[in-house]
């Protein structure tokens, strides 16, 4: 893992960059276009959006305007809960809308955003159809705990390639790490910086001093060394650059263990078993 362009290889052979730019709560139009453009200039080759973020148009425009060949950029989007609840055809329609807003022929990764009760299997069938039509190069899920993954695998007979979950030093989820490793599922972290809360943790700040890096860089490096893909969000050019400068140092095994010990099973977002939106 020596550079910003380094990738992990998904179960179907598709390569996914370890680091991406997240664009949750970034406004469509100039704001998202600017931060995607800056990220691509800095060397990011991976952008994480979702239908519910309302900024797929701007993401697509910035990607198309970058002049970088499409196949060099990894784009993720996600199907929102309303479509999942409405069933198979609604998921297929939601995908068409995302593709149209992005202005692209395909996405690199399409995810079911949340494990909507009783409806995941049907949504997964639609997502698999999209994959078989080669309109998504890889498919997966988000906010799935071990029991959700187990259910889906048992009933569908197939395995998602990626699971994107809240993952940071306060919610380490060893069971999920072990399960994903066993079944060839790539884990991806959302809220890698705990939506800003990471900066309040004394150990992270202490290690920033020790390694001559920033707290954000320590938290992101910890994820990469755990072989978890990270998609930090920022709308500031200098922070987007800072968050990518994590490939020139390595945390010692001892410091990895010290960060692991920060785990409190504590989330900044909704618990996947208790969401209702
Ligand atoms: P995050 O942990 O990436 O934190 C983002 C916040 O941290 C920013 O708003 C900024 O205030 C601060 N920040 C970023 N870089 C910084 C730096 N270098 N120094 C100081 N402060 C800095 O939180 P997030 O945006 O919730 O998560 C990242 C991405 O994950 C999202 O943008 C989105 O793409 C994805 N996401 C997915 C889900 C899901 O349900 N699948 C949920 C939330 C987020």
């Amino acid at each position: 893992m020596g550079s910003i362009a380094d990738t992990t290889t998904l179960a179907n052979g598709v390569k996914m960059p370890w680091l991406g730019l997240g664009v949750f709560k970034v406004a469509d139009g100039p704001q998202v276009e600017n931060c995607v453009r800056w990220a691509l200039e800095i060397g990011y080759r991976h952008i994480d959006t979702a239908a519910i973020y309302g900024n797929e148009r701007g993401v697509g425009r910035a990607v198309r305007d970058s002049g970088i060949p499409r196949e060099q950029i990894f784009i993720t989007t996600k199907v929102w809960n309303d479509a999942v609840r409405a069933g198979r055809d609604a998921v297929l329609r939601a995908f068409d809308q995302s593709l149209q807003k992005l202005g692209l022929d395909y996405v690199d990764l399409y995810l079911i955003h949340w494990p909507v009760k009783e409806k995941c299997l049907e949504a997964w069938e639609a997502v698999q159809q999209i994959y078989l039509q080669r309109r998504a190069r890889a498919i997966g899920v988000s906010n799935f705990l071990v029991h959700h993954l187990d259910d889906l695998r048992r009933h569908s007979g197939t395995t998602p390639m990626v699971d994107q979950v809240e993952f940071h030093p306060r919610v380490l989820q060893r069971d999920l790490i072990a399960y994903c490793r066993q079944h060839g599922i790539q884990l991806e972290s959302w809220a890698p910086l705990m939506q800003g809360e990471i900066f309040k943790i004394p150990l992270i700040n202490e290690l920033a001093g020790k390694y001559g890096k920033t707290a954000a860089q320590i938290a992101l490096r910890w994820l990469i060394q755990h072989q978890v893909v990270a998609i930090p969000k920022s709308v500031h050019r200098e922070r987007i650059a800072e968050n990518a400068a994590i490939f020139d140092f390595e945390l010692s095994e001892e410091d990895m263990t010290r960060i692991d010990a920060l785990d409190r099973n504590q989330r900044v977002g909704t618990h996947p078993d208790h969401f209702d939106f």
Side-chain angles (χ1 to χ4, degrees), residues 22 24 48 53 142-143 164 190-191 193 195 231 233 242-243:
F24 180 39
D48 182 89
Y53 302 170
S142 176
N143 298 302
Q164 182 186 114
W190 66 257
L193 305 175
Q195 300 179 339
I231 45 169
K233 172 234 167 179
E242 175 189 328
N243 294 344

Side-chain angles (χ1 to χ4, degrees), residues 120-242:
C120 292
L121 191 58
E122 197 180 328
W124 183 239
E125 281 168 8
V127 168
Q128 286 183 98
Q129 183 175 326
I130 290 162
Y131 176 69
L132 291 174
Q133 293 167 338
R134 297 174 180 270
R135 295 196 298 158
R137 294 177 66 232
I139 50 175
V141 293
S142 176
N143 298 302
F144 276 45
L145 304 176
V146 168
H147 73 90
H148 299 114
L149 288 171
D150 226 24
D151 258 15
L152 190 69
R153 292 183 60 252
R154 209 146 17 88
H155 292 113
S156 70
T158 55
T159 301
M161 294 154 199
V162 172
D163 188 11
Q164 182 186 114
V165 295
E166 181 177 344
F167 195 111
H168 46 67
R170 289 293 194 211
V171 61
L172 175 56
Q173 303 165 96
R174 288 184 194 278
D175 59 336
L176 194 56
I177 296 180
Y179 188 91
C180 287
R181 202 155 287 165
Q182 186 186 349
H183 297 290
I185 302 168
Q186 176 62 54
L187 260 182
E188 180 177 15
S189 152
W190 66 257
L193 305 175
M194 295 181 71
Q195 300 179 339
E197 295 294 306
I198 200 87
F199 304 105
K200 297 182 187 157
I201 300 179
L203 176 66
I204 302 292
N205 290 314
E206 179 197 320
L207 292 174
K210 173 174 170 182
Y211 286 88
K213 300 298 276 187
T214 66
Q217 290 166 339
I218 297 293
L220 295 169
R221 181 71 208 181
W222 173 82
L223 285 167
I224 305 283
Q225 286 185 217
H226 267 304
Q227 303 192 343
V228 174
V229 169
I231 45 169
K233 172 234 167 179
S234 176
V235 293
H236 302 289
R237 189 184 174 119
E238 63 286 3
R239 285 180 174 174
I240 293 172
E242 175 189 328

Side-chain angles (χ1 to χ4, degrees), residues 6 92 124:
D6 282 358
L92 295 173
W124 183 239

Side-chain angles (χ1 to χ4, degrees), residues 28 49-61 64 75-84 86-107 110 130 133 135:
D28 201 14
T49 183
I52 194 70
Y53 302 170
N55 55 22
E56 290 171 307
R57 275 185 216 286
V59 168
R61 194 168 302 129
R64 290 195 308 278
I75 297 168
T76 301
T77 194
K78 317 180 189 89
V79 57
W80 187 241
N81 305 341
D82 54 353
V84 173
R88 184 190 180 97
D89 289 348
V91 173
L92 295 173
R93 275 197 305 277
F95 179 78
D96 286 342
Q97 280 167 15
S98 282
L99 218 49
Q100 195 200 356
K101 285 181 183 161
L102 286 161
L104 302 173
D105 302 330
Y106 67 90
V107 297
Y110 197 48
I130 290 162
Q133 293 167 338
R135 295 196 298 158

